[in-house]
Amino acid sequence: MDASLEKIADPTLAEMGKNLKEAVKMLEDSQTRTEEENGKKLVSGDIPGPLQGSGQDMVSILQLVQNLMHGDEDEEPQSPRIQNIGEQGHMALLGHSLGAYISTLDKEKLRKLTTRILSDTTLWLCRIFRYENGCAYFHEEEREGLAKICRLAIHSRYEDFVVDGFNVLYNKKPVIYLSAAARPGLGQYLCNQDVAFLEKLIKDDIERGRLPLLLVANAGTAAVGHTDKIGRLKELCEQYGIWLHVEGVNLATLALGYVSSSVLAAAKCDSMTMTPGPWLGLPAVPAVTLYKHDDPALTLVAGLTSNKPTDKLRALPLWLSLQYLGLDGFVERIKHACQLSQRLQESLKKVNYIKILVEDELSSPVVVFRFFQELPGSDPVFKAVPVPNMTPSAVGRERHSCDALNRWVRMAVARLSFQGPVRHHPTCW
């Protein structure tokens, strides 16, 4: 056992840390197997069968897991199967094992410990991201936080919802407005950068007896990369009593010393969802939704708070990771990602047929680009050589080729930048 682990008085906790470290190391070392071993298919021992009468040791079980992870994949042998998560990744994974162990404590100790973990993590995140007096909801599915916020907004605006349920929505239907850059499938209405047009939509909905309920704005989406005019949207939401929710990778820059005014306005929103795991390159770390609300009864019925200590343990992996990184380490990672993005963007500008799609975002950890080759007749280089007019089918093939190349570049970048800030737009427009 490591000397550092020997200092831990609780032998179970020390053994847990030791076993996790050894298990992850064994799985990571599997990447050094030979090309011949990488190309093997599942052996007969990997085929599901009856449970063995006698148990197996940990090494044998991990070997089976390793075979299941790698043996049935038809990838190139040299492509990495799993990422080396590093020491900070071990801390995040330890949080899940440790959470199961902590849940065996007696009720009073469990209540005190989980309350401390939740309050610590909430306080740290609110201070890091300039979100004063906020509460936090930790969730595995990224969209789950927005779903709970939507329920909270409904309970807040419809006083009889608890008693009458969805029947109260028939007379005054709620409306959710989404940024044009939002991920598809979140709602009916779209708002764009034209705030005046959005206000007209709101007024029209009010005249039709509807209730403007929630507006979802974006601060640096992976697909588009831009940040909405959050400050102006906040004013509009306050005027009409609409809940403002913000999401997007540019929210990470709230932790930096310098923040663009458009992103800084997000610190005054009613709620925002962040994904610190992908931002920091940490595995198995939950997403977090920060929000502000004064009625604990409504947050409880909306599912944003819970009296169950085990629910509070969702914050444990992030609690451990934040303590491991420290404030300086956390901020440095975000800063480093922004610097890498800026250097990448400057380099891509020098590459022929690579177009940067978003260039007006300062200190953004996201880069959106695509491969684009002008069709003959539209580019000065091509005009120099006589080329017959292309048929519609030829144009379609050309665009299909661009799309295929974009998808290939996206996959290549994804393999090489597990912890990187790059987001690549796969479509050739």
Side-chain angles (χ1 to χ4, degrees), residues 288-415:
V288 57
T289 294
L290 299 180
Y291 64 95
K292 296 178 182 178
H293 202 271
D294 298 329
D295 193 337
L298 290 184
T299 58
L300 181 62
V301 73
L304 287 165
T305 56
S306 173
N307 293 324
K308 298 179 181 179
T310 51
D311 289 342
K312 299 178 182 179
L313 283 174
R314 293 176 185 169
L316 183 56
L318 189 53
W319 184 79
L320 292 171
S321 299
L322 289 174
Q323 293 199 94
Y324 181 85
L325 291 172
L327 177 60
D328 294 341
F330 186 100
V331 174
E332 183 58 32
R333 285 202 165 204
I334 301 299
K335 182 179 179 181
H336 183 61
C338 293
Q339 292 174 342
L340 285 178
S341 295
Q342 295 304 311
R343 292 184 62 181
L344 174 61
Q345 181 167 288
E346 293 301 319
S347 298
L348 289 173
K349 288 180 180 178
K350 304 174 183 178
V351 180
N352 292 333
Y353 306 124
I354 291 292
K355 181 177 178 59
I356 303 296
L357 300 185
V358 179
E359 297 188 36
D360 58 345
E361 300 295 337
L362 299 177
S363 301
S364 173
V366 69
V367 178
V368 185
F369 64 94
R370 64 181 172 91
F371 172 81
F372 180 75
Q373 184 172 358
E374 294 287 349
L375 296 179
S378 60
D379 186 277
V381 176
F382 290 107
K383 285 181 179 179
V385 181
V387 178
N389 293 332
M390 297 182 68
T391 63
S393 60
V395 173
R397 289 194 298 269
E398 182 78 13
R399 290 177 178 173
H400 178 75
S401 299
C402 291
D403 288 343
L405 182 57
N406 276 311
R407 287 191 291 269
W408 175 82
V409 172
R410 179 187 60 184
M411 291 185 292
V413 171
R415 287 197 300 266

Side-chain angles (χ1 to χ4, degrees), residues 112-126 134 136 138 312 315 319:
K112 290 182 178 179
L113 180 56
T114 54
T115 300
R116 171 64 183 275
I117 291 172
L118 181 62
S119 60
D120 280 354
T121 314
T122 300
L123 176 63
W124 296 339
L125 291 174
C126 287
F138 299 89
K312 299 178 182 179
W319 184 79

Side-chain angles (χ1 to χ4, degrees), residues 45-46 49-65 67:
D46 295 325
L51 183 65
Q52 296 185 15
S54 58
Q56 302 185 64
D57 56 35
M58 181 178 294
V59 174
S60 299
I61 296 173
L62 288 176
Q63 185 66 49
L64 174 60
V65 172
N67 292 341

Side-chain angles (χ1 to χ4, degrees), residues 159-236:
E159 296 180 357
D160 299 329
F161 184 77
V162 176
V163 178
D164 298 331
F166 287 98
N167 292 327
V168 301
L169 306 182
Y170 290 148
N171 296 330
K172 207 168 189 178
K173 297 180 180 179
V175 182
I176 298 176
Y177 304 88
L178 302 179
S179 168
R183 293 164 297 177
L186 285 179
Q188 288 181 296
Y189 292 95
L190 297 177
C191 69
N192 56 21
Q193 290 292 78
D194 189 348
V195 181
F197 176 73
L198 170 61
E199 186 171 13
K200 183 179 183 302
L201 281 179
I202 295 174
K203 290 180 179 179
D204 289 345
D205 287 325
I206 294 176
E207 291 177 358
R208 296 176 182 177
R210 299 170 179 169
L211 178 64
L213 181 71
L214 173 69
L215 189 150
V216 183
N218 280 277
T221 60
V224 181
H226 86 105
T227 297
D228 292 326
K229 297 177 181 178
I230 299 176
R232 181 65 184 95
L233 292 177
K234 177 59 178 175
E235 296 175 358
L236 196 63

Side-chain angles (χ1 to χ4, degrees), residues 5 50 66 69 96 143 151 215 231 245 254 265 270-271 298-299:
L5 292 175
Q66 176 180 293
M69 289 173 63
H96 293 272
R143 300 185 184 213
R151 291 180 60 182
L215 189 150
H245 180 85
L254 286 170
D270 298 297
S271 60
L298 290 184
T299 58

